[in-house]
Amino acid sequence: VARGWTAAHAALLMQDPDTLRPVQPAAGKAAAAASEAPKSGRFQLDAKGVWLIETDRAPRWVCAPVEPVAMVRDPRNFAWGLLVEFFDPDRALHRVIVPMALFRGDGAEVAGLLLDQGLRIAPRGRPALIEYLQTASPKARARVTQRTGWHDAGPDGAAFVLPGDAIGPNAGAWIYESEGGPVHTFAMRGNLNEWQRELARLCGGNSRLLFAVSVCFASPLLFLIGAESGGFHFRSNSSDGKTTALRVAASVCGGADFMQRWRATSNGLEALASAHCDAPLLLDELAQMDPREAGETCYMLANGSGKSRAGRTGGARDRASWRLLFLSCGEIGLSEHLGEIGKTPRAGQELRLAEIPADAGAGLGVFENLHDYATGSEFAKALDRAARRHYGTAFHAFVSKLASNQEAVPDLVREAQRKFEAHCLNDAAHGQARRVAGRFALVGAAGELATKWGITGWQPGEALQAARTCFDAWLSRRGGQGNQEEKAMLRQVREFIRRKGESAFTDWDRPANDTDKHAPGKPDRAGYRRGCQDAEGNESQEYFLFNEAWRGVVCKGYDAAAVGRLLVAKGYCRKGSETDRPWLVRESLPTEGRARVVHILPALFESDDD
């Protein structure tokens, strides 16, 4: 009841014949707790509380009823603690892990922890309470983790751990405990049928909404198929419905607070990523993040681990780790954001955050089908209202199905990915495009699985088609299926020469040291330029770049050797005789003697590699 469960939830559970199983009748909490009490019989637990039993004295009340439930430890058998349960004065149930390290000294920290959670303690009962808890030895055991998602539960498979419970084999043996306090983002309200009717149904015919919801179902698949993390970014103008798409996606897993913001430090996003492992991380408004951190944060989220940090003793602390798909939105993309500080995004950064035009091209922003609503604004408001009333049930239902189908799911997903790539890419597609296509295919396959299991109510094939539509939009914006990093290298060389052609290059017929023919200058000189004819006989220019300028200025940010080899392979520079440096040639420069230079040919400016 405290978590918002209703009779409808119980009815949904009872549809599964495996929900209930016979158990031995319990003797009651009081009797069970009494059996766990020390053999000396100094303590007794009943409905009124914990009592201290002393010889020749009346029992003394220590505190309200508090029951030691299990001994807990982390996955490496460190950080032992005691899991206790009790009700606060409002009859809300609390499950608190008391670290054993807090029992050192007089135990004041233990009492403070329990008092803060609502446990009533007698004015002089603290020493007795500490003794009662420290000497308790419940037989039950559980693992404590600070990371949500899949955890190995032995031969039976993996268990999916959430802040409120765990799903799958040996689910009762796992407990989520956040270092920063309770996390309530994975909340549930309403039931699955209501979510399907009020939200999932309205996603039909809207590729961006279908895709956003499918991303939430795809995140738990990363562990099962061994896929890498990655992200997607909806980019368009203001008030196009991008944030609404994220709110609809958030309803799969939780309430309004499930959607997060980019407005955070990289350290803060580490904690968020760990709390959303094997689940979607939804981030609104990329422009709110410091552009100096944006690019590296995309790397961090997609690579699945945080920074290495030193512990108190100087040794390395355990790094935070996760697996997730993150879905972002904003009025600008990563390249524009980094451009504000004069940086150019690496190809790897743009691959890890695949940018999708949020405008679906129907004149309705992110929407394509308004489902009988008069305007896009009314449709967005209806989605927003529904997302506040019905949420969380779809993710729990999907993970429950995954937990019982862990062996079969990977083959189904890989087959869907293979068909997706065959449909969307040609044989000449570069590995970069295939890598991102696999992520889009995973999203489409997840939506189809959720549909097959009766969770979305969509038509078969609808989620996969939405993933293809969004992938085609990404591919079109990217400029094709080729190597994006190679294009960026060529673009940088070409733009340098175009911008610096007058100021950084000396005319071949007017040598730099012949001041009778021109004024001295060009302090940032990069080489020489000479008039020539291109392949069609038109007047053109060829450039001779000094090796030092080539490495330190022209190719800044890239491996100069890789750029040189690319130019040779494309026929954009003259090939030299040196095997290990074919992009360098020996050239007699006017009045400067022979020097190693990069000889750029007019073909560089005639190509359409951009």
Side-chain angles (χ1 to χ4, degrees):
V1 172
R3 292 176 52 204
W5 281 51
T6 65
H9 290 86
L12 184 62
L13 289 175
M14 293 304 296
Q15 295 176 12
D16 185 351
D18 297 327
T19 296
L20 301 179
R21 64 176 185 270
V23 297
Q24 294 296 324
K29 280 194 172 185
S35 67
E36 301 291 356
K39 293 183 179 180
S40 60
R42 281 175 54 80
F43 298 98
Q44 179 180 328
L45 173 63
D46 60 23
K48 295 183 178 180
V50 177
W51 300 85
L52 174 63
I53 309 299
E54 298 176 291
T55 306
D56 300 329
R57 297 183 64 177
R60 181 158 61 92
W61 185 78
V62 175
C63 65
V66 54
E67 179 182 358
V69 176
M71 297 295 294
V72 300
R73 69 278 194 220
D74 69 16
R76 300 182 304 164
N77 264 46
F78 287 93
W80 282 81
L82 180 68
L83 176 65
V84 299
E85 287 185 355
F86 59 88
F87 290 94
D88 65 18
D90 290 336
R91 300 302 297 166
L93 178 64
H94 290 257
R95 290 167 57 88
V96 181
I97 295 175
V98 181
M100 301 304 290
L102 296 186
F103 286 108
R104 63 182 182 273
D106 61 1
E109 292 179 80
V110 175
L113 175 65
L114 298 178
L115 284 168
D116 184 62
Q117 300 274 349
L119 180 67
R120 294 181 297 115
I121 303 175
R124 298 182 181 180
R126 188 180 71 189
L129 172 63
I130 300 304
E131 181 183 350
Y132 167 70
L133 295 177
Q134 192 170 2
T135 55
S137 56
K139 295 179 181 179
R141 295 287 186 273
R143 299 279 183 190
V144 178
T145 179
Q146 296 181 359
R147 178 175 59 78
T148 60
W150 295 105
H151 291 73
D152 187 14
D156 296 330
F160 198 96
V161 180
L162 290 167
D165 57 1
I167 301 170
N170 298 319
W174 288 94
I175 300 174
Y176 176 81
E177 181 77 2
S178 172
E179 187 175 357
V183 177
H184 301 294
T185 54
F186 290 88
M188 288 195 297
R189 183 177 181 181
N191 59 53
L192 183 59
N193 290 334
E194 292 171 338
W195 179 83
Q196 289 177 355
R197 184 176 64 253
E198 299 293 333
L199 276 161
R201 180 183 63 85
L202 298 181
C203 293
N206 291 285
S207 60
R208 272 54 173 178
L209 296 182
L210 289 164
F211 185 82
V213 170
S214 297
V215 167
C216 298
F217 295 128
S219 287
L221 297 178
L222 295 175
F223 169 78
L224 299 180
I225 68 171
E228 63 181 2
S229 301
F232 306 94
H233 180 70
F234 283 149
R235 177 186 180 275
S236 72
N237 297 326
S238 177
S239 303
D240 271 359
K242 304 180 299 296
T243 301
T244 299
L246 260 64
R247 290 194 182 112
V248 173
S251 72
V252 175
C253 303
D257 57 350
F258 189 85
M259 185 176 72
Q260 306 295 325
R261 299 289 187 275
W262 275 108
R263 187 177 176 81
T265 63
S266 58
N267 292 342
L269 284 175
E270 273 190 40
L272 277 178
S274 185
H276 290 77
C277 180
D278 291 319
L281 178 59
L282 308 176
L283 299 168
D284 192 19
E285 290 302 339
L286 175 62
Q288 289 187 329
M289 187 172 202
D290 188 336
R292 291 171 295 184
E293 295 190 19
E296 296 306 318
T297 300
C298 288
Y299 267 130
M300 178 191 74
L301 292 176
N303 290 342
S305 62
K307 298 177 183 176
S308 295
R309 295 179 174 86
R312 289 179 300 174
T313 60
R317 291 168 52 188
D318 290 341
R319 289 195 300 177
S321 62
W322 53 81
R323 292 173 301 267
L324 55 79
L325 292 179
F326 56 104
L327 179 61
S328 164
C329 75
E331 297 177 29
I332 60 174
L334 183 62
S335 58
E336 291 90 345
H337 201 33
L338 294 181
E340 294 176 3
I341 57 172
K343 287 187 175 181
T344 302
R346 302 293 186 107
Q349 291 172 327
E350 293 188 310
L351 291 178
R352 285 165 173 80
L353 185 63
E355 186 174 313
I356 305 168
D359 191 335
L364 299 170
V366 77
F367 308 126
E368 295 152 274
N369 184 345
L370 299 183
H371 291 272
D372 299 327
Y373 285 89
T375 65
S377 176
E378 291 183 14
F379 186 53
K381 291 177 181 178
L383 290 170
D384 188 58
R385 288 193 299 268
R388 295 178 183 276
R389 293 194 301 265
H390 315 291
Y391 51 77
T393 53
F395 190 74
H396 278 70
F398 185 72
V399 171
S400 297
K401 283 289 188 180
L402 283 181
S404 58
N405 292 275
Q406 296 183 37
E407 296 295 329
V409 164
D411 290 337
L412 294 174
V413 173
R414 292 191 186 100
E415 178 62 17
Q417 288 179 312
R418 187 190 64 78
K419 292 181 178 178
F420 185 97
E421 289 189 26
H423 181 273
C424 296
L425 298 175
N426 56 41
D427 293 338
H430 191 269
Q432 294 175 346
R434 295 190 181 279
R435 179 180 176 185
V436 179
R439 195 186 315 149
F440 277 88
L442 177 65
V443 173
E448 292 302 319
L449 267 180
T451 300
K452 178 182 178 181
W453 290 335
I455 295 171
T456 64
W458 300 336
Q459 293 298 315
E462 200 170 9
L464 202 55
Q465 181 56 49
R468 288 172 180 165
T469 300
C470 291
F471 177 74
D472 289 342
W474 170 80
L475 200 61
S476 176
R477 182 196 168 277
R478 181 177 184 265
Q481 304 177 17
N483 188 324
Q484 193 69 14
E485 192 163 19
E486 289 183 355
K487 291 184 178 183
M489 290 176 180
L490 296 176
R491 189 183 306 120
Q492 180 162 314
V493 175
R494 192 179 293 121
E495 287 305 308
F496 175 84
I497 296 176
R498 283 173 175 165
R499 287 187 294 108
K500 301 285 188 176
E502 294 292 334
S503 63
F505 293 92
T506 302
D507 287 333
W508 190 272
D509 298 327
R510 293 187 297 173
N513 58 0
D514 188 352
T515 57
D516 293 335
K517 295 184 178 180
H518 65 84
K522 302 186 186 300
D524 57 347
R525 196 162 63 103
Y528 281 83
R529 64 179 179 177
R530 183 171 66 185
C532 66
Q533 291 184 337
D534 60 20
E536 298 178 359
N538 300 316
E539 292 294 326
S540 187
Q541 295 278 342
E542 56 185 351
Y543 295 84
F544 301 84
L545 289 100
F546 300 134
N547 188 26
E548 295 77 8
W550 171 259
R551 289 187 285 107
V553 181
V554 180
C555 298
K556 186 176 181 180
Y558 292 102
D559 180 0
V563 180
R565 290 191 178 92
L566 175 62
L567 289 175
V568 171
K570 293 280 188 179
Y572 298 156
C573 79
R574 197 172 100 212
K575 184 177 181 180
S577 59
E578 298 183 40
T579 305
D580 56 340
R581 292 186 293 182
W583 61 94
L584 292 178
V585 296
R586 284 280 189 179
E587 186 71 31
S588 295
L589 302 178
T591 73
E592 296 193 28
R594 291 177 63 81
R596 280 191 178 91
V597 295
V598 181
H599 183 185
I600 302 295
L601 303 174
L604 175 64
F605 306 98
E606 300 164 5
S607 68
D608 57 355
D609 289 301
D610 287 344

